[in-house]
Amino acid sequence: MTTETKKYSATEDLAGLYTSNIALFESGSPEFMNAARKPAMEEFLRQGIPTRKQENYKYSDLQEIFNRDYHVYPSYVAREMQLNQVFKCDVPELDTNLVLIVNGWYYHQNKELNLPEGVIIDSLSKIASEKPELVEKYYSKLAKTNEDPLAALNTMLAKDGLFIYIPDGVVIEKPIQVINLLHSKEDSFATQRNLFVAGKNSQAKVVFCDHTLTSHHFLSNNLTEVFIEENANFDLYNLQNQHNQSGNLCSVFVSQERSSTSVVNTASLHGGLVRNNLKVELKGEYAEANLFGIALADSDQHIDSFTYVDHMVANCRSNQIFKNVLDEQATGGFTGRIHVQRDAQQTNAFQRNSNVLIHDDARMRTKPQLVIDADDVKCSHGATVGRIDEEALFYLKSRGINDKEARLMLMLAFTHEVIQEIRIDALRERLDDLVEKRFRGEISHCHNCMYHCC
Amino acid sequence: MSEQDKILNEVTQGEYKYGFVTNIETETIGKGLNEDVVRKISALKNEPEFMLEFRLDAFRKWEAMEMPEWAHLDIPPIDYQDIIYYAAPKQKAKYESIDEVDPELLETFNKLGIPLEEQKHLAGVAVDAVMDSVSVKTTFKETLAEKGVIFCSFSEAIQEHPDLIKKYLGSVVPSSDNYFAALNSAVFSDGSFVYIPKGVRCPMELSTYFRINAANTGQFERTLIVADDDSYVSYLEGCTAPMRDENQLHAAIVEIVVMDRAEVKYSTVQNWYPGDKDGKGGIYNFVTKRGMCKGEFSKISWTQVETGSAITWKYPSCVLMGNNSSGEFYSVAVTNNHQQADTGSKMIHIGKNTKSLIVSKGISAGKSSNAYRGLVKVIPRAINARNFSQCDSLLLGDKCGAHTFPYIEVDNKSSIVEHEATTSKIGEDQIFYCNQRGISTEDAIGMIVNGYAREVLNKLPMEFAVEAQKLLQISLEGSVG
């Protein structure tokens, strides 16, 4: 096992990092992953690190977060300590299939999971080499490098991540919990690539928990492609809880076949700069997509969500609710696009983005969009930016509830609308609890997060 | 014939009825645009030095700019050197009385229903008629002058009120604002100027009627309205053009300055030639309209009915500078056949307790594309700002598109901004209900669309509201079934 790291700074060319280390990046990866790197690099060069000049990144300038000397890990770094010992989950009722990912790499000491036959939950790099026929037909089919520079960057540097394969008809009862750890003795940049395939009539729930274990600056560029086949049911929960010196760039691409259902629920509790790119392609009729997100931000956090729901065929439904609570100097962004293609009739598409600013320095930018090219559809979007409803507050106070408690109740009710959509009971209750603690000011740092990771 | 029958008749005729060409001698300068052309326009208009400088400065800025591409529009390349930038009906230096005006010209405006002879005093609307690039005649000038209201063509204002022009020209839309604003600032030929003095409530509605007549020309006019403290004016704008196979460019600027407690109501019925049903010809309408609520409690209200133009690119905006000022935007945009529209509003909240309202109704039919694009921005010191936006789209046909692109940027916690948008088609049940009451599907759709747009049409002055209702039906003619 080599423990090679490469140092880079954004002043150097990120693309140059790849071109001058091609052998290092290509080693251990199958042909199809390597073949995608060069075109991805050219696309990345063309688009560059996103700035506000790019319409899709109008509310997030990523130049600054990239502009730091990070180390990258083109190969696996073995760790001496047993991370699964260090790491204990404190959601007692949450019984999960636990997988650790460290700095974008599948942790080699992960415990053996007790899974139904045919299910694969393993390192992407390993499965891609051992069973390329399984991975190749899906790899990079959703993440279009010419449409997004972060997807291009990820495809250029991708080495490892998580691969999940659920065969037709298999139901995984226990949620699959993926802990993404950033652990390093220096500032580092992690690239993680995940690929999930849910076969026909299958069901699974995946929970991502993003954490930082050391206090260095981290930047992670994660990309997940999810293929949901006919009648399958797939939930993806994402708890983002990194420290405020980190940048979390998280892209999720989902494709859904006929009558499938998906839930993508993102909760951003901490993290310096968080950018979520969610794209769902509804390719088969009667498919349903649900996208939810809450973000609680304070100090100088920046949280930006970008969603794109593409109704490619008729009779699909989509539903989006995104809520932000912004305190202190936090800034929030939301861009949500619903695209109904020509002849995608009988589409029902809804989107809502609600934001509460609780400090005068907090800022919110929102940009909901409807692009409708079919006529027999019901589509709507709504966006609000405001403060706590004074009338509701007055009502509660007139019932003898003091100002602080009344505000808290209203804020909890505000966030609960998103949290209640979580379909894992233990997680939902825990998150409600966490949000309440956060609002009460009992938690102000990642160090007190639900996983007691530090 | 009852009013309803008339509407029906017009619906069945259904063509663009203002598509005639007036046979009138026109004075033009050659095609193309360069510094000399700008100088020539300025010289032709006998302008003072500061105007020439303003134009040249704008021209240099324009040269350095590129045409914007962000709109949801498919604009064919425009050859800016293939356009005539100045065309005027040949006329004497000044008309002494109405008799001297070319009868052909009078006939044109009569056909358009614009009574230049002031014979219809009852109409009670003062009109400034602009043909091609030049203001032809302004009516009721004397009556207005008694109240101290200045209402005249822009060229006249430059000669007679240079101080006011110097003070306000470009103060709301600077020449560097955008590509088309720069172009207009360099070559604009005429337009209207309105000044309402302190405490005056303008006794009648003011109106400008724009007409493009000559071929191969672009129309570049400029409107400047200044409403001093405690004044009020309601201003109407209408536009038509002949049917021609080639596309013509219209790039106008409207600037409004509103002082303490004053109010300006600006209504537009835009009916430029939209091109034929195959998308051939039509006007490119690239307009910059912006109002500045400079004083406290000032108010600007934009109402627009957009039915014409092959391509519309237009965002009437309000800059809410004064504390407690308010801005409103009501819009109905109809696109049919191959028309494209990207229109909406900007509300910039700068003062405290400012309010804004946006009501936008888009109707798309045929193979058209109709987009709402708007910005609501609240800066940190604009405390207690309030905005509500409602953008609805109605789709009539499965080949058209309706798009909504609102931008909301809020920088303080005491403000409330709400936006909602829906897209749907006319319910089958509604049409069925009308059918079984003996109303044909076409009429039913006309009724439903009018009902849908009523909230906006109600904001128009009465004469315009009637015209706008008819226009809606004509624009949608042939879009059913």
Side-chain angles (χ1 to χ4, degrees), chain A residues 33-282:
Chain A
M33 279 177 80
N34 289 334
R37 294 183 199 280
K38 192 160 178 276
M41 181 206 68
E42 282 158 7
E43 276 304 326
F44 180 68
L45 270 183
R46 184 178 65 80
Q47 298 167 73
I49 293 169
T51 65
R52 287 175 202 279
K53 291 242 161 83
Q54 277 158 282
E55 185 66 18
N56 288 349
Y57 288 86
K58 191 174 166 63
Y59 299 140
S60 289
D61 193 337
L62 302 184
Q63 293 278 0
E64 199 185 320
I65 192 101
F66 270 98
N67 197 7
R68 177 175 288 283
D69 286 343
Y70 293 110
H71 285 74
V72 296
Y73 306 95
S75 46
Y76 185 73
V77 182
R79 297 191 183 261
E80 298 190 352
M81 60 175 170
Q82 287 288 317
L83 284 174
N84 28 18
Q85 294 293 317
V86 178
F87 201 79
K88 283 208 186 76
C89 176
D90 85 332
V91 187
E93 299 84 20
L94 189 56
D95 181 16
T96 60
N97 294 304
L98 192 71
V99 181
L100 292 188
I101 306 274
V102 185
N103 297 343
W105 287 83
Y106 185 83
Y107 183 52
H108 286 191
Q109 279 106 316
N110 268 324
K111 286 185 186 140
E112 189 90 1
L113 298 169
N114 182 19
L115 296 165
E117 206 189 325
V119 174
I120 303 171
I121 300 179
D122 210 332
S123 149
L124 176 75
S125 138
K126 185 177 151 206
I127 301 296
S129 302
E130 289 174 5
K131 299 176 182 159
E133 73 287 350
L134 203 56
V135 181
E136 187 173 1
K137 65 176 170 182
Y138 297 110
Y139 184 78
S140 218
K141 293 292 183 290
L142 290 180
K144 308 243 168 51
T145 52
N146 59 345
E147 287 172 8
D148 185 70
L150 294 182
L153 180 62
N154 187 290
T155 308
M156 176 175 94
L157 302 176
K159 294 285 287 190
D160 197 12
L162 186 66
F163 177 73
I164 299 180
Y165 179 80
I166 306 154
D168 293 355
V170 172
V171 176
I172 304 180
E173 296 287 349
K174 276 205 270 180
I176 301 161
Q177 187 178 14
V178 186
I179 314 283
N180 289 328
L181 295 175
L182 291 172
H183 179 269
S184 171
K185 293 190 174 64
E186 63 265 317
D187 294 350
S188 32
F189 173 47
T191 298
Q192 179 178 344
R193 180 78 172 212
N194 307 310
L195 178 60
F196 303 159
V197 180
K200 289 176 186 167
N201 304 307
S202 66
Q203 281 184 33
K205 296 185 177 81
V206 174
V207 184
F208 272 122
C209 302
D210 296 342
H211 290 279
T212 38
L213 287 190
T214 46
S215 59
H216 293 90
H217 288 90
F218 289 105
L219 177 61
S220 56
N221 182 22
N222 297 357
L223 193 156
T224 307
E225 288 174 291
V226 185
F227 292 83
I228 308 174
E229 302 293 339
E230 275 180 42
N231 287 315
N233 227 318
F234 194 89
D235 291 12
L236 182 65
Y237 302 99
N238 207 339
L239 296 186
Q240 298 173 327
N241 216 354
Q242 303 178 323
H243 65 57
N244 285 354
Q245 277 76 48
S246 59
N248 191 354
L249 314 173
C250 174
S251 307
V252 178
F253 296 84
V254 181
S255 123
Q256 288 187 245
E257 296 300 332
R258 194 181 171 86
S259 303
S260 61
T261 308
S262 72
V263 174
V264 180
N265 195 326
T266 309
S268 312
L269 299 176
H270 279 286
L273 182 148
V274 179
R275 163 79 182 193
N276 291 308
N277 287 336
L278 307 174
K279 184 174 181 191
V280 179
E281 294 181 5
L282 296 165

Side-chain angles (χ1 to χ4, degrees), chain B residues 174-470:
Chain B
S175 55
S176 56
D177 190 78
N178 65 67
Y179 188 81
F180 300 109
L183 178 64
N184 176 289
S185 302
V187 300
F188 77 92
S189 26
D190 211 339
S192 305
F193 173 73
V194 176
Y195 176 80
I196 316 287
K198 281 185 183 160
V200 172
R201 196 181 162 86
C202 187
M204 60 183 76
E205 317 229 291
L206 304 183
S207 165
T208 303
Y209 212 91
F210 295 106
R211 170 96 183 149
I212 295 180
N213 188 51
N216 296 321
T217 57
Q219 174 145 326
F220 307 92
E221 82 274 346
R222 225 179 149 104
T223 305
L224 174 58
I225 300 175
V226 180
D228 218 325
D229 297 354
D230 303 290
S231 64
Y232 168 86
V233 65
S234 164
Y235 189 89
L236 322 174
E237 179 199 271
C239 14
T240 56
M243 294 201 273
R244 290 185 197 281
D245 282 348
E246 79 269 17
N247 298 101
Q248 278 179 286
L249 178 65
H250 171 248
I253 291 181
V254 175
E255 291 179 286
I256 301 179
V257 181
V258 190
M259 303 305 198
D260 289 354
R261 295 169 299 280
E263 179 179 348
V264 173
K265 188 173 155 68
Y266 194 103
S267 314
T268 310
V269 174
Q270 187 262 101
N271 188 22
W272 296 115
Y273 177 53
D276 66 9
K277 63 182 189 321
D278 300 317
K280 203 169 179 196
I283 305 287
Y284 294 163
N285 189 32
F286 303 144
V287 182
T288 309
K289 292 186 169 181
R290 193 174 304 153
M292 173 92 78
C293 283
K294 239 179 167 166
E296 298 181 344
F297 294 95
S298 56
K299 181 175 176 185
I300 292 175
S301 172
W302 296 99
T303 308
Q304 62 171 19
V305 176
E306 299 279 318
T307 58
S309 298
I311 303 177
T312 304
W313 181 97
K314 175 178 176 185
Y315 315 92
S317 316
C318 298
V319 181
L320 303 168
M321 290 263 282
N323 295 342
N324 302 301
S325 60
S326 63
E328 288 174 358
F329 174 75
Y330 299 92
S331 166
V332 176
V334 185
T335 53
N336 197 354
N337 300 323
H338 289 267
Q339 279 176 271
Q340 303 175 58
D342 193 305
T343 182
S345 182
K346 284 200 262 184
M347 295 290 173
I348 315 291
H349 292 259
I350 295 172
K352 289 171 190 161
N353 308 317
T354 46
K355 279 185 295 196
S356 64
L357 174 69
I358 295 175
V359 177
S360 166
K361 307 270 180 184
I363 300 163
S364 5
K367 291 182 178 141
S368 66
S369 157
N370 196 334
Y372 167 84
R373 185 183 302 275
L375 168 70
V376 176
K377 187 176 173 66
V378 179
I379 71 158
R381 68 182 165 93
I383 56 169
N384 290 321
R386 186 77 175 89
N387 162 270
F388 177 75
S389 309
Q390 165 88 47
C391 305
D392 295 329
S393 304
L394 197 60
L395 290 154
L396 309 173
D398 56 4
K399 297 278 181 290
C400 52
H403 317 299
T404 320
F405 306 104
Y407 293 68
I408 299 167
E409 307 186 3
V410 182
D411 288 356
N412 69 53
K413 67 165 182 181
S414 55
S415 301
I416 300 177
V417 176
E418 292 170 298
H419 168 92
E420 60 183 32
T422 60
T423 304
S424 56
K425 69 171 201 169
I426 293 178
E428 304 275 338
D429 50 339
Q430 291 171 325
I431 292 176
F432 177 75
Y433 180 87
C434 292
N435 283 163
Q436 53 133 311
R437 292 284 183 284
I439 300 165
S440 73
T441 304
E442 181 135 16
D443 288 349
I445 287 181
M447 278 170 62
I448 294 165
V449 167
N450 263 314
Y452 167 80
R454 171 132 304 172
E455 196 180 346
V456 174
L457 297 181
N458 278 347
K459 296 286 166 187
L460 286 172
M462 199 183 63
E463 301 82 356
F464 260 36
V466 176
E467 191 188 334
Q469 256 183 38
K470 286 188 213 164

